[in-house]
Amino acid sequence: MRAVKYIGVATALALAAAGCNGDEDTASPSAVPAGLESFYEQKPSWKDCEDGFECTTVEVPLDYSKPSGDKLGISVIRLPAQDSSDRIGSLLTNPGGPGGSGVDFVRQVGRAFGADLRNRFDIVGFDPRGVAGSDPVRCNTGAQLDDFFSTDASPDDEQETRALGTEGEEFAQNCETKAADKLPHVGTVNAARDMDVLRAALGDDKLTYYGASYGTYLGAFYAEQFPKNIRALVLDGAVDPTLSSTELLIEQAKGFETALRAFAEDCVANGCPFGDSADAVVTRIGDLLDDIDKKPLTSTRDDREVTESLAVMGIARSLYVKEYWPVLRQALTKAINDSDGTILLGLADEMVDRKADGTYSNQTDANMAVNCVDKPTPQNLAAYGKAAAEAEKSAPRFGPFVVWGGVPCVYWPTQSAPEPKPLTANGADPILVVGTTRDPATPYKWSENLADQLSSGVLLTFEGDGHTAYLQGNACITNAVDDYLVTTDPPKNGTTCR
């Protein structure tokens, strides 16, 4: 899947060194790392940025091994606590990606956090390094990304495979040409270190954090490096840091297949116009995609053809949120009955943050830049083809698209991180991991696995659909998460909400 929202095509995860062991004192925050005092001691200058929000920029080193060298500006936003007399501190958030704007996230949903959190915390978002307002990585034009996303990501022959490789190579070359100085430094290891600078700059002795999807790995990575600096961490829609890049992609593809079947069952229960059983609906969708592969759909949105890859992206976008299922039903009906891909194309554009004027945010460029440096990936097209074939066996609708989406990493100019290992965060106070049983993008077992790996992990389960659980309106989840963030007392391990 090309730049799947929240988790990304190659699922940015990595393990780096700098963890602390469980024998060390965790009663107080760790000392400021030597040479970084000027960053930790900075006092942000907050300015009004409309609608009750305040914004600032926090400075971090481009390269933490050279703190006196080039600097980056991290864009930060906050929604101040409603009850300043009972304020606990800041709740730092990350919506995932990699490539998602935390500033936009807080602007859009900051007021949707629970009442207790709104009263007692500043709700804070930030754009990670290389993303949106934080010295963004920008590689490709809108036209180049249009070509990248429309290219057949389920190649049927050698010619189509070579075309995918060409698109991937051009993507990587564009990033090397336009952002070579940033590429080695945009990975999760540095973003997690930036979070500790932010914690100090916000005036908090310890970090209170909510992270979704990729944001769960960013939070777990923070815990691995700074276990003594944790007050409370919620990791919602977790990823499993022990899996290889291709293992993660294959499992993610399975997650989309699970979500598609859940959609199909719901469609049948409500009188589905293109099938009278879940099997029939899923088969019909597969047949539609085969037809689109042979003859792309038209769209009244613009003059682009709606290729198979764009149609799959549109379907995937609808599976992230159950409230989108009626839209997906309408989109598929129009595609099947009228060969009209307008709605599917609109959903695909939303997935990758394409604007009506043909421009894109830097979400896709940043997504790939982080993914390609965070974890080793197959280094040739043949290896990708083998992984895609394996994925297709268990995820026939999504497998090839998800796996082939990371092909630019074959040509990436920056060396990737070491092989992944478990994250344990030894010595950290309880960390709450939230998993959704039919999550399309971060399969539930990833949350189970991360909760098991973390020395203080506590698992909270949402029996339901959609990507991540908090902010989805389930009172049981909201109350459990809010109580933990306020009191630091997690729910009982294994608690399930329905």
Side-chain angles (χ1 to χ4, degrees):
M1 192 74 54
R2 309 301 182 80
V4 168
K5 208 160 191 174
Y6 299 115
I7 188 167
V9 290
T11 314
L13 303 170
L15 177 69
C20 300
N21 67 62
D23 296 329
E24 296 182 73
D25 174 32
T26 60
S28 59
S30 58
V32 174
L36 299 178
E37 292 84 359
S38 64
F39 298 101
Y40 276 76
E41 294 169 1
Q42 61 188 303
K43 305 297 182 185
S45 176
W46 293 95
K47 297 180 179 179
D48 176 81
C49 52
E50 300 181 355
D51 199 25
F53 293 96
E54 297 174 345
C55 296
T56 193
T57 300
V58 173
E59 196 171 72
V60 297
L62 173 66
D63 183 346
Y64 273 93
S65 69
K66 300 175 182 177
S68 61
D70 292 340
K71 312 294 192 297
L72 295 175
I74 303 298
S75 181
V76 186
I77 191 172
R78 73 179 178 188
L79 186 62
Q82 292 179 321
D83 186 355
S84 59
S85 66
D86 204 21
R87 179 181 176 275
I88 294 173
S90 301
L91 173 59
L92 192 66
T93 65
N94 181 276
S101 168
V103 171
D104 289 349
F105 174 70
V106 167
R107 275 200 182 277
Q108 292 165 4
V109 303
R111 290 186 170 87
F113 280 80
D116 287 345
L117 302 185
R118 287 283 295 108
N119 283 333
R120 306 197 65 185
F121 290 94
D122 298 340
I123 309 299
V124 180
F126 71 102
D127 292 342
R129 55 173 58 211
V131 175
S134 298
D135 285 286
V137 170
R138 292 192 178 277
C139 310
N140 297 281
T141 66
Q144 289 167 333
L145 288 174
D146 282 348
D147 289 343
F148 177 72
F149 286 123
S150 63
T151 301
D152 190 342
S154 179
D156 300 314
D157 53 39
E158 185 60 30
Q159 182 178 353
E160 290 185 349
T161 300
R162 286 197 302 269
L164 262 179
T166 298
E167 285 295 324
E169 186 172 13
E170 290 178 358
F171 193 119
Q173 288 175 345
N174 291 340
C175 284
E176 183 175 17
T177 299
K178 298 180 180 179
D181 59 330
K182 298 176 185 175
L183 296 185
H185 307 292
V186 296
T188 302
V189 59
N190 285 323
R193 298 192 70 174
D194 295 343
M195 284 172 56
D196 203 51
V197 174
L198 288 172
R199 172 197 59 77
L202 292 168
D204 294 329
D205 289 336
K206 292 192 174 185
L207 181 71
T208 305
Y209 175 80
Y210 169 80
S213 195
Y214 163 77
T216 67
Y217 184 74
L218 184 57
F221 206 133
Y222 178 91
E224 185 77 0
Q225 296 188 92
F226 304 102
K228 292 192 293 183
N229 293 7
I230 291 172
R231 179 184 171 276
L233 263 67
V234 175
L235 309 179
D236 182 9
V239 288
D240 183 352
T242 65
L243 299 179
S244 71
S245 60
T246 51
E247 287 171 338
L248 285 161
L249 293 171
I250 290 169
E251 290 302 317
Q252 188 184 48
K254 293 178 183 178
F256 279 106
E257 291 285 343
T258 297
L260 184 65
R261 178 159 291 274
F263 159 78
E265 292 171 350
D266 180 82
C267 189
V268 170
N270 290 282
C272 199
F274 40 84
D276 56 7
S277 70
D279 285 342
V281 170
V282 171
T283 298
R284 185 66 187 91
I285 292 171
D287 291 343
L288 171 66
L289 294 174
D290 289 341
D291 292 341
I292 296 172
D293 188 28
K294 300 180 181 71
K295 183 179 180 181
L297 303 176
T298 58
S299 168
T300 59
R301 188 175 178 87
D302 53 40
D303 61 359
R304 285 175 294 160
E305 291 186 327
V306 184
T307 64
E308 183 184 13
S309 292
L310 291 172
V312 172
M313 282 206 307
I315 294 170
R317 175 65 188 100
S318 304
L319 297 176
Y320 273 85
V321 184
K322 190 173 182 178
E323 285 70 23
Y324 270 48
W325 287 4
V327 180
L328 177 56
R329 175 175 165 153
Q330 182 183 8
L332 292 171
T333 300
K334 291 290 289 183
I336 291 169
N337 292 341
D338 304 324
S339 297
D340 185 346
T342 303
I343 302 175
L344 284 173
L345 183 59
L347 290 165
D349 286 351
E350 184 177 330
M351 177 78 125
V352 294
D353 211 8
R354 185 188 191 272
K355 313 302 181 187
D357 63 1
T359 62
Y360 291 73
S361 73
N362 92 308
Q363 172 186 293
T364 297
D365 291 338
N367 179 284
M368 198 68 69
V370 176
N371 285 333
C372 292
V373 300
D374 260 9
K375 182 184 287 293
T377 56
Q379 291 303 295
N380 55 65
L381 295 182
Y384 265 103
K386 183 178 180 180
E390 181 181 349
E392 189 171 17
K393 294 175 184 177
S394 53
R397 265 70 53 175
F398 295 97
F401 296 91
V402 173
V403 172
W404 279 110
V407 77
C409 296
V410 170
Y411 309 98
W412 211 251
T414 302
Q415 187 174 5
S416 62
E419 290 295 333
K421 297 177 182 179
L423 293 174
T424 61
N426 289 328
D429 285 335
I431 297 172
L432 183 59
V433 180
V434 187
T436 300
T437 55
R438 293 181 294 277
D439 191 313
T442 51
Y444 174 67
K445 69 178 181 179
W446 290 0
S447 292
E448 292 182 302
N449 293 346
L450 182 59
D452 285 342
Q453 291 164 37
L454 292 168
S455 63
S456 59
V458 175
L459 180 64
L460 173 64
T461 298
F462 174 49
E463 177 69 42
D465 300 288
H467 184 39
T468 72
Y470 191 69
L471 299 176
Q472 300 297 339
N474 181 274
C476 176
I477 291 291
T478 299
N479 292 336
V481 169
D482 288 2
D483 287 348
Y484 164 68
L485 288 173
V486 171
T487 68
T488 72
D489 294 327
K492 181 180 178 181
N493 187 36
T495 297
T496 297
C497 295
R498 293 178 173 84

